Amino acid sequence: MAILVSMGGFIFGYDTGQISGFLGMPTFQERFGEYNHHTGEYYFSNVRTGLIVGLLSIGTLTGALVAAPLADIIGRRWSIFAWCIVFHVGNIVQIASSDNKWYQIMMGRWTLGLSVGSLSLLVPMYMAETAPYHIRGALISCYQLFITLGIFLAACINYGTQKNYNDTSQWRIPMGIGFLWPLILGVGILFFPDTPRYAFRKGRVEEAKQTMLKVYGVPDNHWSVYHELEEIRLKLESESSGHGFIRDYISMFSAPRMAYRIAIGMGLQMFQQLTGANYFFYYGTLIFNGVSINPFVTQLILNGINFGVTFIGLYLIEHYGRRKSLMAGSAWMFICFLIFASVGHFALDRDDPTNTPHASKALICFACFFILGFATTWGPMVWTIMSEIYPSQYRAKAMSLATASNWLWNFLLAFFTSFITGAIDFRYGYVFAGCNLLGGLIVFFFVVEGRGRTLEEIDTMYLDGVLAWESNKWEAPSLETMRNQSTAGYRSADAEAAIQTANTSTESEREGTEKRAED
């Protein structure tokens, strides 16, 4: 499940890795760039570069917001299938671009962005709502792992086509290969069930139970599945029912501790972008074009490290938890960017980097050290936290806002980075260093530890106002306590109707399972 569904991350990573290489390809520059009559060379202006790179992010922002209500209506599985089709449409627009029609590339990337943004919401949500709680963090982190794999594979293909072709095959071959990944995801997801929490909310209790039995790999009467299904039922009972798309969004902000959690999710996604990782991944070929090392080889090295070390993050998230890992990652990236910016500004001869070979190599080294910190902490773990902190009733909508925050800042950085680096060169790294430090402080004060907790337990922690730095010590209430809290909580007549089917289907089953559990 994790491998197939994480193809949504691979699709995003592959497209990100593509565009970084395309901007440095001579045939791409000749076809879509501008001609400099003084130098006799083709180039991309800052505006055109920002639009080609950044329009993907505008599409992703839109896609993330649109995908939420669609996922609540037709389900997570069919939503993933539909957005894979949209990706193919965007890729056709992009690959068919003719001479000087750079805006066709731009609009193709915007359409691709609709699909990528939607999948960035749906993939973590699908895995969060399906995965067993004790490995949920590692499985959701596979989304980021596949992003890094996509970036690395795109860099490899770009390097091969740039080296072996002198025509439009340099960039059309990588684009054409891109049709394969959404095809695998779109067809493959049809062989998987919808998430158990979505099925339960729709009254399909037996389907939810069977899905959980499969992912846990346990027999019908296993206590863990019974316990988690009971938590889902109790949370559903305490929720009010929906009253339409707009009113649901409005009521979400007034629900207990939801505005607080939405702010956390949007803030974490913002700071994931402000770590500065995409400074290397979007513009890596151009950044290192000014040092004395082949920029395509450099990008290949960075992306290879990015993919390889992400496996470490899958271990860290379940053995050291979210909070410790994120705070350590923030400190590490803060130090790396301080050194990177200082070497680039004070030690590197930016007019002729061959005069300062040691500074050039130092930039590459600390870029690699930075990626080690990002790929093992902030890269995968922010997606995990975003998928965990919201209750089932509002998960799709709240996650869409958090994901939209990510893509908004992704666009702002993609568009303005070329202008900023042109004005302050490598001192841009000091900005990212400060953001990394601030991001670590936000984690310490506001993010609770979700390792080893069910989604329903994490929801209870926020409702109870558990202090983030004391969340490791929190003990989950018993099911009996949760039943009493649910009975005392708010429940509308519509909510009663919504859970009637679930109650009817599970009552006799619950009594029998309780007896077997006692035996």
Side-chain angles (χ1 to χ4, degrees), residues 220-233:
D220 283 359
N221 61 346
H222 198 276
W223 182 84
S224 293
V225 173
Y226 157 72
H227 185 275
E228 198 158 342
L229 282 172
E230 184 68 0
E231 284 186 339
I232 295 171
R233 187 187 69 82

Side-chain angles (χ1 to χ4, degrees), residues 62-84 86 114 118 121-122 125 194 198 202 245 249 396-397 400:
T62 307
L65 294 173
V66 172
L70 186 64
D72 282 340
I73 295 170
I74 68 174
R76 285 50 166 150
R77 184 173 65 128
W78 283 107
S79 293
I80 291 174
F81 174 80
W83 289 110
C84 286
V86 173
L114 294 175
S118 302
L121 164 70
L122 294 167
M125 182 164 59
D194 222 320
Y198 177 81
K202 295 299 181 180
F245 175 71
Y249 259 107
K397 299 177 184 65
S400 74

Side-chain angles (χ1 to χ4, degrees), residues 258-291:
M258 275 303 299
Y260 175 79
R261 284 184 268 184
I262 290 170
I264 291 175
M266 295 181 70
L268 288 177
Q269 289 286 16
M270 177 184 73
F271 278 102
Q272 189 199 50
Q273 289 297 317
L274 291 174
T275 58
N278 283 338
Y279 173 60
F280 298 110
F281 298 137
Y282 278 139
Y283 291 100
T285 305
L286 299 182
I287 293 169
F288 294 111
N289 203 31
V291 300

